[in-house]
Amino acid sequence: MRHAKTVTAPQGGERAISRRRFIGVTAGATAALSFGTFIRSGLGAAKVNVLTWSNTLPAMDDVLREQAKQYTKEKGVEVSFEFINQTDLPTKTAAAVESGAGPDIITLWSDGPHLHAKALIDMDDVTGPLGKELKGWTNIAKDIAIVGKNWKSVPWGIIPICMNYRTDWCKEVGYTKFPDTYDEMLVMCKKLKEKGHPSGFALGRAIGDGNQSHYPILWAFGGAEVKKDGKTVDINSPGTAKAVDYLRQLFKEAQTDDVLSWDDSSNNRAFLAEQVAVTANASSIYWAEKKNAPQLRDVTDHALFPKGPAGRFGYSTAISLGVFKFSKSQKESKAFIKWMLEPKQYSAWMGIGEGMMAGLLNFYEDDPVWKKDPKLEVVRQIPKYVRMPGYPGPPSRPAAEAMVKFVIVNMFARAAKGMSTAETIKVAEGELKEIYSKA
């Protein structure tokens, strides 16, 4: 029988222990010390999962992926992004709220914080310091994220939506600059279609482009879904009727029929394929032309939405980041969101998009991205014209629900397909009354 070797303790009076036991004890101690260091460093202590939209500019998502890796390395908290089609995001968000399970951080569209306020933690301890450090928050940021007295999300940015148009084709029909009114735009777009260059504004299930193209038309002609009290449905009005009549004429005389089935990527593809002369979109088309259609960069430009009888309006989707109450990593999620919105990280992300995103902290109004290209100057002006669904009332849960259910877009789409103005407004009125009655 082999006898285990012994290791004598430093002091002669202490008992000797076997070599096997000594190795076991020291290994366990080393592991314990290492694990303690591991936990104290934060490594492995928490994971943060972020569900967000798949940007039409993949390079912006690539920046987020790299930043997640950087944060994991520096802070020891594992961060992962899941990117999905933006049209699917409201459904996925609702499913997470209903089931009480899902990502830690959720990207919320426009009035989303109002729609899901009960499922989100307060974010005042994130928005407060960021506001103090970066010149305060814009009014749009406050509108979308403050519910009652608390911030329910951290405004991430706004996708500035403008008119994207072909300067060369517009010149062919006598226009050296984009029309300033909707009536003038109709005349120009009709001439363009007669030349084989139709326009296109999404009337399909495009959660971004569909709503962003048509809420401004509603408001510009004096229409509104509710009164200023944010409760009384007011869609059945002369202003709405004028907007519907205008859209029907624009569709018949100036647009491609394909818009009825367009999703959020359709108008980008159509513009890059030289199938449309005018569309409403972010500057992502201009960015994409670098790689996919470089010959179009010189003949693509941007313009503000036209004026109507009631003025000039825009609806650019604002996005914010919320943390679910069911998250096990709430503290870590808040820290990561704050880090994302600090200048070093945020400017890198916003800058790669060339105007695709605009910050909602006043500090980013002077970001270097706006000085790169004079064609982006118009994009910089957009936020002051932006209103949110539910205007002239305040952002609200019912307004957010009406937007994600395409109530306004569908009202216009039915008119484009031939339904009478009175009938399509009546349908929208019934839908809105049902939604707002639950408030």
Side-chain angles (χ1 to χ4, degrees):
M1 178 177 178
R2 288 182 61 188
H3 293 280
K5 295 181 180 179
T6 60
V7 178
T8 305
Q11 296 182 8
E14 295 182 358
R15 291 169 54 192
I17 62 173
S18 72
R19 180 174 182 273
R20 182 177 299 170
R21 184 179 175 207
F22 176 80
I23 292 172
V25 169
T26 54
T30 301
L33 287 169
S34 298
F35 184 72
T37 303
F38 188 65
I39 292 298
R40 285 194 299 275
S41 71
L43 287 167
K47 293 182 179 181
V48 173
N49 300 308
V50 187
L51 181 62
T52 190
W53 66 303
S54 184
N55 202 306
T56 51
L57 298 185
M60 295 190 77
D61 289 346
D62 290 340
V63 170
L64 293 178
R65 291 187 182 95
E66 289 304 313
Q67 289 182 350
K69 291 178 184 177
Q70 178 188 349
Y71 191 84
T72 298
K73 183 177 180 181
E74 292 180 2
K75 308 294 184 180
V77 176
E78 184 180 340
V79 177
S80 62
F81 278 90
E82 180 184 356
F83 300 92
I84 64 173
N85 188 295
Q86 60 181 317
T87 305
D88 297 330
L89 194 55
T91 304
K92 287 275 191 177
T93 304
V97 171
E98 182 69 23
S99 65
D104 301 289
I105 299 174
I106 186 69
T107 301
L108 298 157
W109 288 98
S110 296
D111 295 349
H114 294 261
L115 185 62
H116 301 297
K118 293 181 180 179
L120 302 169
I121 65 173
D122 293 342
M123 301 295 284
D124 303 70
D125 52 346
V126 178
T127 54
L130 283 171
K132 289 179 181 178
E133 295 166 15
L134 300 171
K135 299 183 178 180
W137 293 95
T138 63
N139 289 333
I140 299 169
K142 296 172 185 176
D143 284 345
I144 65 167
I146 297 177
V147 182
K149 296 181 179 180
N150 297 107
W151 292 78
K152 301 304 292 188
S153 65
V154 179
W156 193 11
I158 193 169
I159 305 170
I161 302 300
C162 56
M163 291 294 173
N164 290 243
Y165 68 101
R166 286 285 298 268
T167 57
D168 54 341
W169 287 346
C170 289
K171 287 178 182 177
E172 288 179 11
V173 295
Y175 292 82
T176 57
K177 66 176 183 177
F178 199 84
D180 197 45
T181 70
Y182 275 108
D183 287 343
E184 292 169 351
M185 188 185 83
L186 174 61
V187 174
M188 183 189 76
C189 290
K190 183 178 179 181
K191 291 179 179 179
L192 284 166
K193 186 174 182 179
E194 290 171 352
K195 287 279 189 178
H197 308 309
S199 299
F201 302 96
L203 282 169
R205 295 187 68 78
I207 192 71
D209 294 334
N211 286 300
Q212 290 159 169
S213 296
H214 295 95
Y215 272 95
I217 294 177
L218 175 68
W219 298 328
F221 283 87
E225 57 189 291
V226 288
K227 293 183 181 293
K228 287 184 179 180
D229 62 9
K231 300 176 182 179
T232 308
V233 173
D234 194 35
I235 194 70
N236 198 341
S237 69
T240 300
K242 290 177 182 177
V244 171
D245 289 341
Y246 175 85
L247 188 282
R248 182 188 292 106
Q249 188 176 2
L250 181 68
F251 173 77
K252 289 182 177 180
E253 298 180 2
Q255 295 199 64
T256 170
D257 291 349
D258 294 341
V259 298
L260 292 169
S261 60
W262 274 7
D263 61 18
D264 282 291
S265 63
S266 299
N267 64 334
N268 298 61
R269 293 195 301 268
F271 197 97
L272 293 172
E274 302 190 65
Q275 295 171 352
V276 295
V278 180
T279 192
N281 204 73
S283 62
S284 54
I285 289 176
Y286 187 59
W287 191 95
E289 287 172 346
K290 277 185 175 181
K291 179 180 179 181
N292 301 321
Q295 76 281 5
L296 299 183
R297 287 275 289 187
D298 289 341
V299 294
T300 299
D301 208 345
H302 309 103
L304 295 172
F305 273 68
K307 296 175 184 175
R312 190 192 312 277
F313 297 89
Y315 167 35
S316 295
T317 298
I319 57 176
S320 60
L321 298 167
V323 178
F324 282 123
K325 287 182 178 178
F326 59 68
S327 170
K328 305 296 184 184
S329 304
Q330 294 179 9
K331 180 179 178 181
E332 293 83 0
S333 295
K334 286 182 174 182
F336 178 64
I337 291 172
K338 184 177 186 298
W339 182 85
M340 283 177 67
L341 269 79
E342 291 170 351
K344 183 179 179 181
Q345 291 74 236
Y346 195 83
S347 289
W349 178 66
M350 185 169 74
I352 201 72
E354 286 192 333
M356 172 67 183
M357 296 296 305
L360 290 176
L361 283 153
N362 291 317
F363 177 86
Y364 295 115
E365 184 179 346
D366 295 319
D367 193 90
V369 67
W370 307 120
K371 301 174 184 177
K372 288 183 178 180
D373 190 330
K375 290 184 177 181
L376 297 178
E377 179 58 31
V378 163
V379 180
R380 185 180 184 179
Q381 300 175 35
I382 291 169
K384 63 184 175 183
Y385 297 107
V386 169
R387 302 292 184 272
M388 290 290 115
Y391 173 83
S396 65
R397 187 187 188 284
E401 183 177 344
M403 186 272 291
V404 299
K405 289 184 174 178
F406 299 95
V407 173
I408 300 304
V409 176
N410 289 341
M411 177 183 71
F412 285 116
R414 288 189 296 269
K417 294 175 183 177
M419 185 179 285
S420 72
T421 298
E423 189 175 358
T424 192
I425 292 175
K426 186 177 180 180
V427 173
E429 183 179 34
E431 293 172 339
L432 289 170
K433 284 184 175 179
E434 181 180 354
I435 291 170
Y436 278 84
S437 69
K438 296 182 292 184

